[in-house]
Amino acid sequence: RRHNVSLAYLFMAVCQLRCSCYTSTASAFAFPSSVSTGRLGCALGAVPSTDFQIVLPPEFEPNHPHFFQRQLDLCRRIVTEDATTTSYLDGDRIGVLPERHRFVEHPRCTARFGEALLHARDHASSDNEYKLAIYNAQSLVDYVESSLDESNNTLAVRNGLINDIAECLSTSSLYQFRKLQLECDASDSDFTPEQFDLELIGRLYYSAISRTEPYLREVGLTFDHTGFTALLALCRASSATDCASMSSSKYQYMPILSEPGARLDAALSNHFNAITVTGRRFFFSHHHGLESSRPKTRGKHLIVAFSSLGNGIVRHEFGGSLAKLNNQMAESFSVLFVADPAQSWYQKDDRGGFNGFAQYESRIKAASKPYKHVSLIGDSMGGSGALLFSHLATESVVAFAPQVDLARDAHVSRDDMTLLVKEKFQTRLFENAEEAIKKGVTLFVHRGVESSDTQHTDQLMSRLASKCPLENERLKIIEHSDCNHHQIAVHLKQKGHLLEAISTCLMSNVVM
């Protein structure tokens, strides 16, 4: 499930055969082909520039008052810089931005339009792709300058553009298209094959690019993944609320988007996921997976299953194993599937703001009221979610390879996941885990031997050992030495041990 994004680009290209480029001299696609990714599907690679003097430290955020201008300056530099495709293709890198060696942001969740196009140019696999990146940079410069020249327009984009894009991505016909693409209900299986999800991502990109074609044309961008990424990034950067009073050395603040920007963020989250239920985030299964011969009376146990990032697209998880387990139990349980289509570690709400924790907490609390027993389960980002809301459990929490320190984790690549957001997440997770342990909840954390995963769980052990020394035995770390990668839940599934692990941990404290 850590995939190479070039495969995703291939599937997108196949799905976009009917797309045409805005320029007459270029082909339809500008996908960088030699790009590797992390689990989010974000582009990774060097951002060239030795002579460029603007310093962009990793925590330099879109709300900074100088951020937009610097991204625009990057576009101008792409157009004017004396660099040739031949020298790049021969391996002569131009260099890297000081303090910032990679473009790591998620392509749908970044405001770094200048850096995105610089990355596209300097990872071009052909002269045509190289020229397309320069063309898009020139188009953005021309469009922004024209917009700012218009009377009564204080934005770098046309008034109403961001709302128009959000609206076109929120139509009922596009929702119906999404439903047709989903060949299986996520609640019926644990995890989905990578190839299926990559193909689905390609179709979702194709549909989104097709719907936004009028706005790509308006800005002058190519009708492809690169043009679409640049358009979204421009809108995000334009809708970021400046922190004008913030000193240049202070980067800790809560990110704020304008109302249209938040609406666009929510529309993108609602489109790019593999969930068909209304609202995308919650799906309640009262008698989950019960065979027809079993009585359909409501039990006393609720299991809350949190979703991971999956193969770059979020869907409900653990449905298959929980259905099998339910049919083995003398008394059945209900399942609340919880997903975060914004891929924000349950920090963003359904309106594009950062009130996600309160929103998820409120819904889980309401769903839990009729039940005597409440247990939580999740993998990766979902495991983090299970720990984050562990104070709502009464019995056990099962987390597979969770992240607790988002500031140092490569999976987290949203621009708006600022240092303050990440620190608040960690503080809440620790405090809620402490509360859970003190009231008798057992936390089970499964991990492999990959160093990044062990570092997260080591931090959790250290914190709970210092804050809850008398209850420390309620944190149980289960290490699987035969798994040397992050996907421990998938590993256990392949080995035939996932159901046993879930059953042993989820039901350890439950007395019906």
Side-chain angles (χ1 to χ4, degrees):
R1 288 167 7 132
R2 291 190 186 197
H3 56 274
N4 190 310
V5 82
S6 60
L7 293 176
Y9 289 144
L10 174 61
F11 288 124
M12 283 186 273
V14 170
C15 294
Q16 293 188 109
L17 287 177
R18 294 191 296 113
C19 288
S20 61
C21 183
Y22 190 52
T23 59
S24 59
T25 59
S27 67
F29 311 113
F31 301 149
S33 60
S34 57
V35 184
S36 62
T37 70
R39 193 176 179 192
L40 287 178
C42 56
L44 305 178
V47 179
S49 174
T50 50
D51 56 341
F52 191 47
Q53 298 303 312
I54 295 176
V55 177
L56 294 174
E59 65 272 23
F60 193 91
E61 307 298 347
N63 292 65
H64 190 282
H66 301 306
F67 176 86
F68 189 94
Q69 186 59 49
R70 293 186 179 185
Q71 292 299 311
L72 193 62
D73 288 343
L74 268 176
C75 289
R76 293 190 178 101
R77 179 176 179 274
I78 291 170
V79 175
T80 60
E81 186 175 55
D82 181 20
T84 65
T85 304
T86 302
S87 64
Y88 168 73
L89 294 178
D90 287 342
D92 182 18
R93 294 289 200 276
I94 302 171
V96 295
L97 285 171
E99 301 297 325
R100 187 174 171 81
H101 303 286
R102 299 184 303 169
F103 178 73
V104 299
E105 280 68 35
H106 192 294
R108 298 190 305 273
C109 306
T110 182
R112 302 179 186 276
F113 58 91
E115 291 179 56
L117 289 176
L118 187 62
H119 175 85
R121 186 198 70 178
D122 292 331
H123 285 78
S125 61
S126 67
D127 181 68
N128 183 61
E129 288 184 0
Y130 187 90
K131 290 178 179 178
L132 280 174
I134 297 174
Y135 170 83
N136 281 325
Q138 183 66 70
S139 295
L140 279 181
V141 172
D142 292 344
Y143 177 79
V144 169
E145 290 178 348
S146 175
S147 296
L148 293 175
D149 285 343
E150 292 181 9
S151 58
N152 301 322
N153 190 9
T154 58
L155 295 175
V157 299
R158 169 178 62 82
N159 286 323
L161 174 66
I162 301 173
N163 264 327
D164 288 345
I165 297 173
E167 185 174 352
C168 83
L169 293 174
S170 305
T171 61
S172 58
S173 60
L174 192 60
Y175 173 70
Q176 292 302 320
F177 173 86
R178 286 181 63 258
K179 290 184 68 175
L180 290 174
Q181 308 312 306
L182 301 175
E183 299 175 359
C184 64
D185 184 345
S187 62
D188 291 336
S189 60
D190 291 317
F191 311 108
T192 306
E194 180 180 57
Q195 182 170 342
F196 174 81
D197 278 347
L198 292 179
E199 292 173 347
L200 175 60
I201 292 171
R203 291 193 290 271
L204 292 178
Y205 262 109
Y206 167 68
S207 61
I209 291 169
S210 298
R211 293 305 178 98
T212 56
E213 183 175 319
Y215 311 111
L216 290 165
R217 187 184 302 276
E218 175 183 337
V219 180
L221 297 170
T222 51
F223 304 156
D224 58 19
H225 180 267
T226 300
F228 183 66
T229 298
L231 178 65
L232 297 181
L234 175 66
C235 290
R236 285 184 181 278
S238 300
S239 63
T241 303
D242 285 350
C243 298
S245 61
M246 182 182 63
S247 68
S248 60
S249 61
K250 180 71 172 175
Y251 296 100
Q252 291 196 19
Y253 58 90
M254 288 302 292
I256 302 172
L257 285 175
S258 65
E259 185 176 341
R263 187 182 177 202
L264 175 59
D265 187 271
L268 288 165
S269 297
N270 287 336
H271 179 65
F272 285 98
N273 64 77
I275 305 168
T276 58
V277 295
T278 303
R280 303 346 185 253
R281 286 163 171 75
F282 303 93
F283 173 63
F284 205 102
S285 183
H286 286 286
H287 312 291
H288 181 67
L290 280 186
E291 297 172 352
S292 57
S293 59
R294 295 288 303 274
K296 298 298 191 296
T297 58
R298 183 162 66 184
K300 302 175 183 177
H301 192 186
L302 173 67
I303 294 177
V304 184
F306 292 87
S307 294
S308 70
L309 297 177
N311 300 309
I313 189 165
V314 173
R315 60 172 71 247
H316 293 141
E317 295 175 341
F318 292 104
S321 290
L322 291 176
K324 292 178 182 177
L325 179 60
N326 215 7
N327 282 293
Q328 296 175 5
M329 303 298 296
E331 184 174 321
S332 65
F333 53 78
S334 300
V335 180
L336 174 64
F337 292 96
V338 181
D340 176 13
Q343 303 182 353
S344 66
W345 275 254
Y346 299 90
Q347 301 305 292
K348 300 215 73 171
D349 57 54
D350 59 6
R351 303 183 70 177
F354 269 94
N355 194 40
F357 176 81
Q359 187 177 75
Y360 283 104
E361 182 184 49
S362 174
R363 290 292 296 272
I364 295 170
K365 277 184 177 179
S368 302
K369 281 184 178 179
Y371 295 90
K372 179 181 179 181
H373 309 288
V374 179
S375 301
L376 315 181
I377 185 173
D379 169 44
S380 190
M381 181 182 76
S384 300
L387 292 173
L388 181 64
F389 297 99
S390 57
H391 62 299
L392 303 180
T394 63
E395 308 301 330
S396 59
V397 173
V398 186
F400 296 91
Q403 296 90 24
V404 301
D405 184 1
L406 302 186
R408 294 173 178 83
D409 196 279
H411 297 124
V412 187
S413 59
R414 290 189 62 108
D415 265 347
D416 50 5
M417 293 285 284
T418 65
L419 184 59
L420 180 58
V421 172
K422 295 172 182 176
E423 289 178 346
K424 290 186 71 172
F425 166 88
Q426 186 179 54
T427 299
R428 274 177 172 158
L429 186 149
F430 284 155
E431 291 176 349
N432 292 343
E434 292 164 18
E435 179 182 338
I437 282 182
K438 288 178 179 178
K439 70 178 186 180
V441 175
T442 303
L443 309 183
F444 297 90
V445 179
H446 289 260
R447 72 182 188 185
V449 293
E450 186 178 66
S451 61
S452 59
D453 288 334
T454 59
Q455 288 170 10
H456 284 295
T457 51
D458 287 347
Q459 281 195 50
L460 182 63
M461 284 191 292
S462 175
R463 169 70 180 224
L464 295 182
S466 64
K467 295 291 184 178
C468 312
L470 299 180
E471 300 90 356
N472 196 39
E473 71 279 359
R474 292 198 173 276
L475 172 63
K476 301 184 182 297
I477 306 297
I478 304 168
E479 185 168 291
H480 301 267
S481 59
D482 60 340
C483 181
N484 60 0
H485 55 79
H486 177 66
Q487 306 303 328
I488 182 62
V490 175
H491 171 80
L492 292 174
K493 177 82 171 181
Q494 292 171 344
K495 294 283 187 178
H497 301 319
L498 181 61
L499 181 59
E500 179 185 359
I502 291 175
S503 175
T504 301
C505 299
L506 279 180
M507 302 302 169
S508 63
N509 291 1
V510 179
V511 179
M512 295 298 187

